[in-house]
Amino acid sequence: MKPFDYERADDTDGAIATVSDDPTATYLGGGTNLVDHMKLGVAEPGKLVDITKLPYDFVETLPDGRVSVGATVRNSELAASHVIRQSYPVLAQALLAGASGQLRNLATTGGNLVQRTRCAYFQDPSTPCNKREPGSGCSALEGWNRHHAILGASEHCVATHPSDMAVALAALDATVVVRGSNGQRRIPVTELHRLPGDEPERDTVLEHGELITSVELPAPSVSARSTYRKVRERASYAFALVSVAAVMEVDEGTVRDARIALGGVAHKPWRAEAAERELRGTPATEENFRRAAEAELEQAESLRDNAFKIPMTRNTLCAVLRELTREDRA
Amino acid sequence: MTDVLTEDPGRAPQRLDGPDKVAGTARYAFEQPVDGPRYLHLVQAGIARGRVTGTDTSAAEALPGVHTVLTHENAEKVNAGGELAVLQSPEVAFRGQVIGAVLAETPEIAAQAAGLVEVTYERHPHESTFGVDDHRAQSPDTSSPMVTEDLDQGDVDAALEAAEYTVDVTYATPPEHNNPMEPHATVAVWEDGELTLYDSNQGPYVVRDVLVPIFGLDPERVHVVSPHVGGGFGSKGMPHAHVVATVMAARLTPGRPVKCALTRAQMFPLVGYRPPGFQRVRLGTDATGRLVATEHSALEQSSRLAEYAEQSAGASRDMYVSPNRRITNRVVALDVPVPTWMRAPGEAGGMYALESAVDEMAQACGMDPIEFRVHNEPDTAPTSGRPFSSRNLVTCLRRGAERFGWAERDPRPGVRREGDWLVGTGVAAASFPSFTIPGSVATVGYADGYYRVEIAASDIGTGARTALTQIAAEALEVPLSAVRLHLGSTAQPKASLAGGSSGTASWGTAIVQAARAFRAEHGEHPPEGAETTTKSEPDPEAGKYAMNAYGAQFAEVRVHADTGEVRVPRLLGVFAAGRIVNARTARSQFAGGMTMGLSMALHEHGVVDGRFGHVVNNDFAGYHIAAHADVGSVEVDWIDEHDPHVNPMGTKGIGEVGIVGVAAAIGNAAHHATGVRVRELPLTPEKFLTDG
Amino acid sequence: MDAEITLRVDGQRRTLSVDTRTTLLDALRERLGVISPKKGCDHGQCGACTVLLDGRRVTSCLTLAVAQDGAEVTTAEGLSEGDRPHPVQQAFLEHDGFQCGYCTPGQVCSAVGMLDEVKAGWPSHVTENLEEEPDLDDEEIRERMSGNLCRCGAYTNIVSAIREAAE
């Protein structure tokens, strides 16, 4: 690890100015991903600006019913928050499916969103990786790619985004509030992360120095049901092979609304718009679920080791839809 | 035996080192207090085969706090071969090999400087993967004591031709990595020609005896101290490259201790692993389901740097009757790190293949898999004709069947569903040789009202410290509290290593013999300062009997109908392993072996990228071992077995038999659950997913 | 780059100068001689380094020491009172919840932190109803302890120990 300066920020604007003015500087939240990457030599910041003492440790319901989650709220706190458990179970479940108790006590909301892929080649500086070292080549494309993308990948990068939380936020249509030296902007979470294209080194649309300050959840719908299903070979403490977050509104057996996001299949939380289109206004039947899943996966492309993700995603999506539309569901 | 040995886990003594371990104050190698240490960080080869053409250490050396950068150009010449010939030449034999080391004032500086060493290479083509019918297969060197000759009894081909029922199946196993929780670590102090090593190993004397000729040292002036070891599972059985590098560094800085701990990632190429392999098993029975032919041929990975030949096919030598039998082990030598022992080397993989194939064979005969095994139970060891010192496999199977509820089992595969889960049960047998190694030396002394027992045994988590204290107390006929046992250091008399499940048997024998000699010499009321040292004698019955521990493994498996996820809510192991010294710690060791077997069945897989020649998933996020949530009920039971032949205590090793057969039982249960027979470990979800 | 920090470790105030790169784990082990938290992977993937940081269980290997200036750190060593083990430690002894002992201090700290989380009503991945107080059955213990790997395979005994300590 290269030596670096450390400073603990006590005001937001100062922190943003410090990082914006120094191309080697970056923000430190819980550190669970950044410190790991610094040890591996994947990240080599010259300065860390610790933002964990900034005033973003809140989960509050806004007057219009939306819920605002501060960027430094720890994953464990957020999952335990009553408003999240009651009104956004998909989010609580996604958080609880991620990492371990110890890591969730460190990891922050903002940090979780900007965590980077766990592609083994990305994390190993002794192998080529376009995301880590643009132009060096993608080792996963023809290497070990069991955990890699089946949707939206490019010839330059086939990595997947590792977050569970972000998948739930995508299904919830959350908005990310970001501050930079030019002020504040709001980004739909589905537009925060990028597909790799020919710039796989850029995970998100954030500019250097921009800081996520909070995430806003739309006011909960009383009639919506939501859930998060994560498939992994170890029963806990493992990244998703595939995951499905879904928020459904069903009225007398007909799907009124469906918002579905997939994890473990793409460079970003994958909003399954094709599946949603197929489902809206149709009867909640096994046949329609399958048609919707297949519509989404029509564009899927598999690599040497990850072809199983196509049937696994299809089956998992169908199972989730089945569960959320079950008549007897409390 | 008196009341210090008890079958009741509730009454068995708790671990004597327990209070220190739950507080975290038991000191492992890296934690031994030394003054003013420097830290060593290894530099590893970035190519799989070739030679180092240049090493630019200037940037590393310029870093404040860096003391030395060791490379093959400045390292001292030592007398070593294979993986221990560290920094002796520019040749690179595998990716990740040690090609340098940085000694610095702090671990942070050492790690940073290691990254600043610039290396240029001449790359040579390399081979790091192989296939089932590989043309590079060769016979291993049978002059090695670890390697047995091929066996070819009767006429296997004719017998298979004439058999009523046959199976011909090939099972594949991946590289598996020992991954003890404590990374390999060593602290070396070189002062006035005297070397002291605080090292994490399975035998202090093994480390000393390996290092002495390498560095040309006086054995009396080499001290290896290893009071606590955070697991080894075979990977700490022999010293690896980092020990040699650390001693080299220490010899450059007399009086300043040098600390070196491997990173988890460095352990993958540097401390050995269970080699991957393919095993073909051909079985044939007569119309009654009696085996008439057994062929087991194993092909496993070895290294061009040094041969390691896993003896997986040996599992089929003495397990079941079969008048015609062919056993062959072959290796493919590649440009890869040298494999080593990993918990039940040979048996873990070999019995996975055999016991899975037996399940398939039983099914082909239309027989219950337990009845099939009972039907094929031999009276004497089939290949040698020797009697068994004791063999209670059938009792284990029967007792397990009763406890597991086997009688209610519907044999049809793929017909039970509970909610979204397909449910099945499976069984497999376990066997592991019972070794008692002669030649360990124990001292018994008396002073201040206590009996002092000294032997350089190792407690790598087995509970040896506790069990040996019990054995000493019993042999001396004194209460446990009257015995003070010292182990884990060359300050004590020489002992064999903790390997092959031989520890308690071998060291216990030495202690019992020393205690008897002590009583003979000093009587029931020894004078202050009385002391007796003896070396254990070989068992006169060794060689007359086939000596093995046995077990029956039962598993319940659930496979998710939509996703293929595999869960194991219940394991039951019933063992016949001679006398149990400490029921509390023995139960833990059996359960621990079974848990590692579950991990082997469901998770473990070192993925080799043939382009680079390294294990890609070289961390705990990528190389999964079972976590808490993967392990449901693990029940352990054993039968009351008295074996007068194995050793004076009547004990058999229990550290390894627990893992044997578990992967087969789980695979057999997964087949019973789904109807899908997976013949490749690990049993990951995609192998049960159908694209329908 | 060095920085001076003060930590309260197992009840004792400790002031030290650290390299900004030094993790809390290395500060404890290599600088302060507090060896109870163990280094098993150094990447947050095994849990052997678990300590209680201001009362919450965390992986000390992914925490920079410099970022914890002023924090209260409790290790397994600090959980026992003199020679009297903490009830969780006592249960580990009785249930033989360890073999080699290397993951044990982390398991113990994790269990203590986890029991507090349950007391606070925090749900887990296996909690059936997120709106109710979780009931700490074996499945809950296993899920909540999954961040602590044990290669010796002492899991079932650890679960029994925690179950007893929780009662």
Side-chain angles (χ1 to χ4, degrees):
Chain A
M1 200 188 292
K2 275 191 187 166
F4 56 86
D5 287 324
Y6 167 86
E7 67 182 64
R8 186 181 279 182
D10 46 25
D11 80 286
T12 306
D13 290 337
I16 290 170
T18 304
V19 174
S20 299
D21 291 348
D22 180 349
T24 74
T26 192
Y27 299 110
L28 173 67
T32 54
N33 194 217
L34 178 60
V35 174
D36 187 20
H37 280 163
M38 290 164 66
K39 290 182 183 192
L40 292 167
V42 171
E44 298 188 316
K47 180 181 282 179
L48 293 186
V49 177
D50 184 345
I51 52 148
T52 54
K53 298 295 189 284
L54 293 181
Y56 300 113
D57 187 15
F58 56 79
V59 181
E60 59 188 27
T61 304
L62 304 176
D64 59 4
R66 289 179 303 141
V67 170
S68 174
V69 177
T72 63
V73 176
R74 309 286 170 166
N75 287 177
S76 55
E77 295 269 2
L78 185 57
S81 143
H82 282 283
V83 61
I84 301 300
R85 283 154 70 179
Q86 279 165 6
S87 304
Y88 308 94
V90 63
L91 177 56
Q93 287 167 350
L95 285 159
L96 293 168
S100 68
Q102 292 93 313
L103 293 168
R104 291 193 295 270
N105 278 339
L106 288 169
T108 62
T109 309
N112 186 312
L113 283 171
V114 296
Q115 67 178 309
R116 310 201 67 188
T117 183
R118 283 348 188 253
C119 171
Y121 301 101
F122 171 70
Q123 298 198 113
D124 179 356
S126 77
T127 57
C129 168
N130 287 327
K131 183 183 280 296
R132 196 185 59 249
E133 202 184 328
S136 62
C138 173
S139 296
L141 201 56
E142 313 224 320
W144 183 50
N145 44 37
R146 177 168 182 256
H147 293 267
H148 289 70
I150 53 171
L151 291 164
S154 76
E155 58 181 320
H156 304 289
C157 180
V158 292
T160 50
H161 194 261
S163 171
D164 294 296
M165 183 193 80
V167 180
L169 292 178
L172 287 167
D173 278 328
T175 301
V176 181
V177 182
V178 173
R179 269 172 74 174
S181 42
N182 297 325
Q184 181 170 297
R185 63 178 177 135
R186 309 162 80 79
I187 308 169
V189 74
T190 49
E191 292 168 26
L192 175 70
H193 299 95
R194 299 175 64 258
L195 289 178
D198 54 9
E199 277 184 305
E201 68 276 16
R202 291 186 59 211
D203 293 351
T204 68
V205 298
L206 297 181
E207 299 297 332
H208 179 74
E210 281 192 312
L211 176 68
I212 295 173
T213 56
S214 66
V215 174
E216 289 172 358
L217 307 173
S221 153
V222 283
S223 55
R225 295 165 171 179
S226 74
T227 196
Y228 185 73
R229 172 74 161 99
K230 180 176 185 177
V231 181
R232 46 187 163 177
E233 70 213 16
R234 197 153 74 177
S236 184
Y237 200 18
F239 293 99
L241 292 170
V242 307
S243 69
V244 175
V247 182
M248 300 280 287
E249 299 205 33
V250 182
D251 185 19
E252 291 181 356
T254 298
V255 177
R256 294 290 164 223
D257 192 22
R259 283 171 290 150
I260 300 165
L262 308 176
V265 294
H267 194 257
K268 59 184 289 189
W270 185 266
R271 189 64 187 259
E273 286 165 0
E276 293 173 7
R277 275 195 303 273
E278 285 287 327
L279 286 167
R280 278 193 201 105
T282 66
T285 63
E286 191 69 26
E287 197 187 338
N288 288 337
F289 299 158
R290 199 174 164 106
R291 185 179 305 131
E294 275 165 4
E296 191 62 45
L297 292 165
E298 209 166 89
Q299 44 187 327
E301 283 182 51
S302 63
L303 303 160
R304 188 190 74 190
D305 302 326
N306 70 357
F308 71 91
K309 283 191 176 183
I310 296 174
M312 184 179 275
T313 304
R314 182 198 64 210
N315 292 359
T316 308
L317 177 52
C318 288
V320 163
L321 295 175
R322 207 179 300 137
E323 183 195 331
L324 288 178
T325 57
R326 229 169 46 203
E327 295 281 325
D328 59 347
R329 197 182 142 95
Chain B
M1 301 250 159
T2 58
D3 63 341
V4 293
L5 306 194
T6 167
E7 299 276 313
D8 176 359
R11 287 175 55 229
Q14 293 180 8
R15 281 173 207 266
L16 300 175
D17 48 13
D20 292 340
K21 285 185 170 175
V22 296
T25 51
R27 286 186 186 272
Y28 298 81
F30 206 71
E31 300 161 351
Q32 297 294 328
V34 290
D35 286 330
R38 289 197 177 108
Y39 294 82
L40 192 71
H41 197 99
L42 303 176
V43 180
Q44 297 172 271
I47 62 167
R49 186 166 162 262
R51 54 191 291 132
V52 173
T53 52
T55 314
D56 182 354
T57 60
S58 53
E61 281 164 346
L63 208 61
V66 170
H67 178 274
T68 306
V69 181
L70 279 170
T71 68
H72 74 93
E73 287 169 16
N74 61 1
E76 67 173 301
K77 292 299 158 206
V78 297
N79 175 29
E83 63 174 304
L84 296 181
V86 181
L87 306 179
Q88 298 301 294
S89 84
E91 303 300 322
V92 174
F94 62 87
R95 189 178 173 106
Q97 186 178 346
V98 177
I99 55 165
V102 177
L103 185 63
E105 296 297 330
T106 71
E108 293 83 11
I109 296 169
Q112 183 195 357
L116 294 175
V117 176
E118 296 283 344
V119 184
T120 52
Y121 303 97
E122 179 184 300
R123 287 166 189 268
H124 298 165
H126 70 271
E127 300 170 320
S128 52
T129 55
F130 69 110
V132 62
D133 291 315
D134 205 288
H135 67 280
R136 296 163 298 181
Q138 60 190 50
S139 292
D141 175 8
T142 50
S143 66
S144 159
M146 305 291 177
V147 174
T148 51
E149 306 253 2
D150 290 353
L151 179 80
D152 201 348
Q153 291 180 331
D155 188 338
V156 167
D157 298 317
L160 282 170
E161 190 68 31
E164 183 75 19
Y165 305 106
T166 58
V167 296
D168 180 353
V169 286
T170 299
Y171 280 81
T173 54
E176 291 161 5
H177 294 261
N178 309 55
N179 270 321
M181 291 310 297
E182 182 207 12
H184 294 57
T186 198
V187 180
V189 189
W190 175 254
E191 199 157 20
D192 303 326
E194 195 111 4
L195 176 67
T196 303
L197 271 189
Y198 303 99
D199 181 66
S200 186
N201 60 67
Q202 296 176 215
Y205 276 92
V206 176
V207 175
R208 189 196 74 164
D209 291 350
V210 167
L211 290 179
V212 159
I214 289 179
F215 290 96
L217 303 172
D218 173 358
E220 297 305 314
R221 305 193 74 193
V222 178
H223 315 286
V224 180
V225 184
S226 316
H228 297 287
V229 178
F233 313 109
S235 71
K236 294 175 181 171
M238 296 296 283
H240 297 287
H242 66 284
V243 179
V244 174
T246 308
V247 173
M248 281 178 171
R251 279 156 64 86
L252 291 175
T253 60
R256 287 287 301 268
V258 175
K259 297 179 74 167
C260 176
L262 295 186
T263 65
R264 184 58 58 182
Q266 287 173 338
M267 290 168 68
F268 282 78
L270 293 178
V271 301
Y273 57 98
R274 196 197 300 283
F278 300 95
Q279 296 174 67
R280 184 175 179 194
V281 180
R282 293 204 293 163
L283 302 173
T285 70
D286 63 18
T288 75
R290 184 99 168 156
L291 284 163
V292 294
T294 298
E295 180 181 60
H296 192 156
S297 40
L299 174 62
E300 268 143 329
Q301 176 174 307
S302 181
S303 166
R304 289 204 172 107
L305 185 58
E307 184 169 280
Y308 171 86
E310 188 96 337
Q311 299 292 292
S312 298
S316 293
R317 292 176 79 89
D318 283 338
M319 203 57 205
Y320 301 110
V321 295
S322 187
N324 304 287
R325 191 183 310 263
R326 188 184 294 140
I327 307 283
T328 59
N329 288 291
R330 295 289 178 268
V331 292
V332 177
L334 301 172
D335 305 306
V336 295
V338 186
T340 193
W341 308 308
M342 178 165 165
R343 203 170 200 168
E347 281 76 10
M351 290 291 280
Y352 163 64
L354 174 64
E355 290 298 301
S356 303
V358 162
D359 198 67
E360 299 200 54
M361 187 74 252
Q363 201 166 32
C365 301
M367 283 177 78
D368 173 80
I370 291 177
E371 295 312 320
F372 180 86
R373 287 175 173 88
V374 172
H375 190 53
N376 283 286
E377 174 73 2
D379 296 326
T380 56
T383 54
S384 65
R386 287 181 201 149
F388 292 105
S389 64
S390 56
R391 175 170 164 129
N392 288 295
L393 172 60
V394 171
T395 316
C396 292
L397 287 164
R398 294 277 189 233
R399 179 172 314 175
E402 192 181 326
R403 185 162 164 173
F404 200 74
W406 193 261
E408 289 88 63
R409 181 180 189 259
D410 178 344
R412 293 172 299 154
V415 295
R416 285 150 303 278
R417 184 166 173 150
E418 291 178 23
D420 294 329
W421 295 88
L422 307 173
V423 184
T425 51
V427 67
S431 167
F432 192 82
S434 180
F435 298 113
T436 301
I437 299 167
S440 285
V441 182
T443 294
V444 176
Y446 180 77
D448 302 323
Y450 292 105
Y451 290 86
R452 190 185 81 255
V453 177
E454 296 189 45
I455 183 164
S458 301
D459 190 336
I460 59 173
T462 54
R465 185 178 267 107
T466 311
L468 296 179
T469 304
Q470 290 177 263
I471 288 169
E474 191 203 42
L476 291 162
E477 297 187 48
V478 297
L480 202 63
S481 58
V483 175
R484 295 278 189 275
L485 180 92
H486 302 271
L487 55 65
S489 164
T490 53
Q492 294 111 31
K494 189 167 186 168
S496 56
L497 88 167
S501 296
S502 68
T504 301
S506 308
W507 309 322
T509 299
I511 288 170
V512 168
Q513 290 177 357
R516 286 176 186 162
F518 177 90
R519 285 294 186 216
E521 193 177 341
H522 304 292
E524 294 303 307
H525 303 285
E528 186 76 5
E531 186 178 292
T532 300
T533 297
T534 62
K535 183 176 179 177
S536 71
E537 297 295 330
D539 178 3
E541 313 225 356
K544 293 185 194 164
Y545 294 92
M547 298 176 175
N548 302 293
Y550 293 93
Q553 307 277 14
F554 293 78
E556 179 188 328
V557 167
R558 291 171 176 248
V559 180
H560 197 279
D562 294 319
T563 64
E565 290 160 292
V566 185
R567 303 286 182 255
V568 182
R570 185 182 183 198
L571 287 177
L572 165 66
V574 181
F575 300 95
R579 195 75 191 269
I580 298 301
V581 176
N582 183 315
R584 184 190 302 267
T585 55
R587 183 175 296 273
S588 293
Q589 235 187 330
F590 285 129
M594 291 164 67
T595 300
M596 198 183 273
L598 182 157
S599 188
M600 169 185 177
L602 301 196
H603 306 303
E604 297 189 36
H605 181 193
V607 179
V608 176
D609 187 322
R611 299 168 303 168
F612 303 107
H614 74 310
V615 172
V616 192
N617 54 342
N618 56 4
D619 63 16
F620 275 142
Y623 185 93
H624 281 170
I625 62 170
H628 268 281
D630 295 301
V631 183
S633 163
V634 179
E635 298 163 63
V636 174
D637 197 359
W638 55 77
I639 65 164
D640 195 20
E641 184 176 77
H642 296 274
D643 188 323
H645 307 294
V646 281
N647 55 49
M649 293 89 57
T651 64
K652 295 176 177 177
I654 61 172
E656 291 167 278
V657 71
I659 193 176
V660 179
V662 177
I666 290 173
N668 295 341
H671 171 259
H672 186 234
T674 61
V676 178
R677 178 67 71 173
V678 175
R679 298 192 182 90
E680 180 187 29
L681 292 182
L683 306 177
T684 48
E686 60 263 44
K687 293 170 185 165
F688 295 94
L689 261 187
T690 44
D691 197 2
Chain C
M1 329 261 164
D2 288 355
E4 182 154 304
I5 60 166
T6 300
L7 301 169
R8 213 174 157 76
V9 181
D10 293 335
Q12 282 193 320
R13 203 181 129 89
R14 309 289 292 265
T15 297
L16 70 160
S17 168
V18 290
D19 189 319
T20 52
R21 294 174 289 184
T22 305
T23 59
L24 177 60
L25 177 63
D26 282 342
L28 291 167
R29 285 169 63 83
E30 300 305 314
R31 303 297 310 284
L32 298 177
V34 178
I35 58 156
S36 180
K38 305 300 183 195
K39 186 183 282 189
C41 75
D42 213 23
H43 291 279
Q45 298 163 353
C46 80
C49 67
T50 303
V51 298
L52 300 173
L53 183 65
D54 295 326
R56 292 266 172 88
R57 54 175 175 158
V58 301
T59 46
S60 61
C61 73
L62 291 182
T63 310
L64 294 174
V66 67
Q68 298 309 326
D69 186 20
E72 168 115 28
V73 179
T74 306
T75 73
E77 185 179 2
L79 285 171
S80 27
E81 285 180 38
D83 281 347
R84 225 184 50 224
H86 184 279
V88 166
Q89 291 170 321
Q90 187 59 43
F92 268 63
L93 291 170
E94 283 163 13
H95 291 266
D96 207 35
F98 56 96
Q99 292 178 41
C100 80
Y102 198 77
C103 74
T104 314
Q107 300 271 2
V108 165
C109 283
S110 186
V112 170
M114 180 274 279
L115 292 174
D116 282 345
E117 292 167 7
V118 173
K119 226 172 264 169
W122 288 14
S124 86
H125 171 63
V126 298
T127 307
E128 201 67 41
N129 187 336
L130 287 177
E131 296 184 41
E132 285 173 12
E133 294 287 303
D135 178 25
L136 193 67
D137 59 13
D138 285 1
E139 191 190 6
E140 283 277 1
I141 295 173
R142 287 185 200 115
E143 163 57 27
R144 290 168 189 265
M145 290 300 293
S146 280
N148 293 84
L149 302 181
C150 168
R151 188 56 158 160
C152 296
Y155 293 130
T156 52
N157 290 355
I158 293 171
V159 171
S160 321
I162 293 173
R163 193 196 312 122
E164 184 183 296
E167 278 163 8

